[in-house]
Amino acid sequence: MRELSGNMTSPSRSTCLALALALAAASPAYPWGVEGHKALAIVAGQNLTPDARSHVIKILGNDDLGSIAVWMDELRSAFFHTGPLGSDPDALRFNAEFPENGQWHYVDLPLGSKEYDPGGAFSNPHDVVHMIGEAVSVLEGGGDRRITKREALYMVVHFVGDEHQPLHIGNGFYDVGADGSVKLVTDPGAAKGLPNDKGGNALFFGPGRFDELHAYWDTALVGKVTGTEDPAELAKALQLKVAEQGASWKDTGDYHHWAEQWATQSLSAARTAYAGIVFGAETPDPKGGIKSIKITLPPGYDDACTPVAERRLAQAGYHLAELLNAIHWAD
Ligand SMILES: [Zn+2]
């Protein structure tokens, strides 16, 4: 889910935390949808080494990564004591301990950024890349002592998925004219301080509340990969991709930095997600920033972007397994 997190990116928005949470709780949309997150976690589960699997089983009691894939998103409604975790003591404790956890799912980089830079002007210690690192530290016996190993596993499984969603990384910044016309700014040097579209959440191609670009990538494009909403069906299709292409997705070097490379890949995919979009009138947010921008998607958008969504989902499953196979589990 990116809406809540988007609502918390600026100080003016964060002052309206309660409203942001209310909006998030009312939203049915999850990043990559529940379907995408579960499917990529199933794929990861199919690609674990026996050693990694034994550590997962020790922590979870089973190796069903799909079943924990959206715990981090379900925390949002748990803030309001609703949803599947509404009366879950662990979820309530986690939210009380980390009320800012909505910010952990993304980072907002200008589309022209060369790469994700962990110390750069647009990254921060609570962004999705840093939080994958934090969770890995916990699984390796260090990190924040308030996070249990089970919760750290929830975090890794979810956030590796999130960061492969291009719009959790790439983001539009805009020069807004006095007449409400907008110009997309991709150059990081020029984008700093400009209002952004919250990972596409503010880009509306239709009149409906969920007719926006972020949700389109979360759910609509995911559904088009197999034509179903069944995570098991999608996982089958993704596993085929992994079998065909996984060897070319292999990471090298220190696994503590792999998440940075995956973010850079999402940045490149995000440029495809924004390619050809025509930007119309902007509506300002009374609290500051951009409330919405009308957009028109170019012809052939689904044909260009569905394969990208499929590849990023398959890569997420593959990379998640790769990471779980690489880490030095504390127990
Ligand atoms: Zn998320």
Side-chain angles (χ1 to χ4, degrees):
M1 190 186 290
R2 177 63 174 70
E3 273 180 292
L4 166 60
S5 24
N7 279 327
M8 294 172 73
T9 52
S10 78
S12 62
R13 282 195 294 267
S14 66
T15 57
C16 289
L17 178 65
L19 175 64
L21 292 171
L23 289 170
S27 163
Y30 291 97
W32 280 138
V34 173
E35 180 187 9
H37 266 294
K38 282 187 191 273
L40 73 88
I42 292 168
V43 170
Q46 290 167 348
N47 291 277
L48 293 179
T49 60
D51 183 58
R53 188 178 309 284
S54 72
H55 289 294
V56 168
I57 291 171
K58 199 164 172 197
I59 291 172
L60 287 186
N62 60 63
D63 61 355
D64 184 3
L65 297 182
S67 69
I68 61 163
V70 292
W71 194 85
M72 291 305 302
D73 277 341
E74 289 171 347
L75 284 179
R76 314 307 180 77
S77 37
F79 269 113
F80 293 91
H81 303 273
T82 61
L85 301 180
S87 53
D88 181 295
D90 291 335
L92 300 180
R93 184 201 58 81
F94 196 91
N95 278 343
E97 202 77 73
F98 303 104
E100 78 290 5
N101 68 62
Q103 297 174 39
W104 298 357
H105 300 238
Y106 67 97
V107 62
D108 289 329
L109 302 186
L111 293 164
S113 307
K114 250 179 53 201
E115 59 188 5
Y116 172 86
D117 172 359
F122 294 89
S123 55
N124 67 73
H126 304 293
D127 69 31
V128 64
V129 175
H130 281 91
M131 294 318 293
I132 290 170
E134 183 66 42
V136 167
S137 294
V138 172
L139 293 173
E140 296 189 322
D144 193 320
R145 297 214 165 276
R146 294 171 295 170
I147 301 173
T148 66
K149 291 197 172 63
R150 171 179 275 266
E151 288 157 357
L153 195 53
Y154 297 164
M155 288 169 64
V156 171
V157 170
H158 185 79
F159 292 149
V160 171
D162 271 354
E163 81 149 323
H164 281 72
Q165 210 275 42
L167 302 184
H168 276 250
I169 306 291
N171 179 75
F173 289 80
Y174 300 88
D175 246 337
V176 183
D179 60 352
S181 63
V182 299
K183 189 171 164 288
L184 180 67
V185 176
T186 58
D187 173 7
K192 191 68 192 165
L194 291 179
N196 68 45
D197 63 25
K198 304 170 203 163
N201 272 292
L203 300 181
F204 285 82
F205 55 81
R209 188 170 154 217
F210 298 109
D211 290 345
E212 42 92 349
L213 193 67
H214 191 96
Y216 200 71
W217 276 80
D218 278 351
T219 50
L221 288 176
V222 175
K224 287 174 198 291
V225 172
T226 59
T228 77
E229 293 180 2
D230 178 1
E233 276 302 305
L234 179 58
K236 273 189 220 160
L238 300 180
Q239 180 58 36
L240 279 178
K241 286 261 166 227
V242 168
E244 283 166 23
Q245 298 175 34
S248 67
W249 300 337
K250 206 168 174 45
D251 286 283
T252 55
D254 181 353
Y255 61 90
H256 293 98
H257 296 289
W258 288 350
E260 297 163 27
Q261 299 167 29
W262 304 333
T264 298
Q265 295 163 10
S266 270
L267 197 51
S268 158
R271 288 191 276 272
T272 303
Y274 278 78
I277 289 178
V278 177
F279 298 93
E282 179 252 7
T283 303
D285 188 328
K287 297 187 288 290
I290 293 169
K291 184 177 180 203
S292 65
I293 297 172
K294 284 189 180 155
I295 59 167
T296 307
L297 297 176
Y301 190 80
D302 290 358
D303 292 342
C305 292
T306 306
V308 176
E310 181 179 15
R311 190 183 74 237
R312 290 309 282 156
L313 286 162
Q315 287 175 326
Y318 178 84
H319 288 150
L320 175 57
E322 219 188 1
L323 183 61
L324 295 176
N325 292 341
I327 65 179
H328 296 97
W329 299 80
D331 55 32

